Amino acid sequence: MIKMIVAYDKNHGIGWNNQLPWSKMHNDLLRFKKLTIGHNIVMGRKTFDSLDKHILPDRVNFVLSRTLTKHNDSSLIITSDINWILNRAKVEDFWIIGGSKIYSLFEDYATKLYITEINAQLTADTYYFPKLNYWKETNRIKFPADTKNPFDYRFITYHKATVV
Ligand SMILES: NC(=O)c1ccc[n+]([C@@H]2O[C@H](COP(=O)([O-])OP(=O)(O)OC[C@H]3O[C@@H](n4cnc5c(N)ncnc54)[C@H](OP(=O)(O)O)[C@@H]3O)[C@@H](O)[C@H]2O)c1
């Protein structure tokens, strides 16, 4: 199964200068960690760069790239072969964690979408607009800003019965 997880602001901004547009949103990170830990995650090379090429622990990190040298160990797999991941996803779960290019590549194959919507308009240079008319909203929880989360935010979950 393919699941996607993304956080965006009111304009669907997901990135700025190869970082996130916000400096902290503690509960978003917590949710990200809770959902993805112990699973396969798939990211684009630029997102990998944004982590200073550090793998996210306790997860198998798949990095899509046509420029990085192929590298396989138990927790970092660099590949340019999307079909290889799609085939593996028939028997195991993959979490697509961004960025924008990678969300667009996988969205049609995904059946679950976890969004954190941040109630702010921030400076961004990378955006993601899921094709929400294909998705059915299954859950929505709203939270106010607090000391660890400088903006109001919502966790929204979507489901798609079949791939598009
Ligand atoms: N808010 C969020 O939830 C969230 C999540 C993740 C990332 N981000 C942000 O998003 C931004 C990065 O996103 P982005 O869209 O610019 O880049 P990206 O999707 O992370 O990475 C793009 C790279 O992926 C590789 N790639 C793309 N299509 C491919 C294909 N068909 N086959 C093989 N490799 C392929 C290419 O790497 P090569 O050039 O090496 O070939 C391409 O340059 C950053 O600002 C990051 O902080 C935000």
Side-chain angles (χ1 to χ4, degrees):
M1 185 191 284
I2 295 199
K3 304 175 184 185
M4 311 224 299
I5 183 160
V6 59
Y8 52 60
D9 76 351
K10 282 171 87 166
N11 300 322
H12 290 232
I14 66 161
W16 164 244
N17 212 10
N18 217 29
Q19 292 297 318
L20 299 174
W22 45 89
S23 56
K24 67 169 178 179
M25 280 300 286
H26 178 77
N27 285 353
D28 172 55
L29 281 182
L30 218 61
R31 181 196 198 210
F32 176 82
K33 207 168 157 184
K34 216 189 253 178
L35 288 169
T36 60
I37 220 115
H39 297 291
N40 297 318
I41 55 174
V42 181
M43 71 188 93
R45 192 263 305 160
K46 291 187 182 169
T47 297
F48 188 49
D49 285 348
S50 80
L51 305 172
D52 290 331
K53 295 189 163 57
H54 288 135
I55 62 160
L56 295 181
D58 305 318
R59 282 151 277 197
V60 182
N61 291 230
F62 289 76
V63 176
L64 275 169
S65 171
R66 296 190 186 96
T67 59
L68 289 179
T69 312
K70 284 206 177 11
H71 173 106
N72 282 2
D73 73 22
S74 55
S75 51
L76 174 63
I77 298 174
I78 294 171
T79 180
S80 60
D81 190 349
I82 285 152
N83 288 326
W84 179 62
I85 293 177
L86 290 174
N87 271 325
R88 286 185 63 155
K90 290 173 187 162
V91 289
E92 41 184 329
D93 285 353
F94 280 82
W95 281 88
I96 309 304
I97 67 156
S100 163
K101 301 271 179 341
I102 300 315
Y103 292 134
S104 300
L105 276 175
F106 283 95
E107 182 176 346
D108 286 353
Y109 306 100
T111 50
K112 291 225 165 131
L113 172 61
Y114 294 78
I115 294 178
T116 301
E117 208 176 85
I118 294 168
N119 193 20
Q121 299 195 63
L122 304 167
T123 308
D125 58 14
T126 312
Y127 298 83
Y128 178 56
F129 291 87
K131 299 182 256 182
L132 289 181
N133 47 328
Y134 288 105
W135 292 94
K136 179 179 160 33
E137 186 180 312
T138 53
N139 196 33
R140 173 181 288 251
I141 316 174
K142 198 174 167 182
F143 301 90
D146 58 31
T147 48
K148 291 181 167 180
N149 302 279
F151 310 107
D152 295 352
Y153 58 100
R154 286 189 273 259
F155 289 158
I156 313 172
T157 311
Y158 292 88
H159 176 77
K160 192 158 24 86
T162 49
V163 294
V164 174

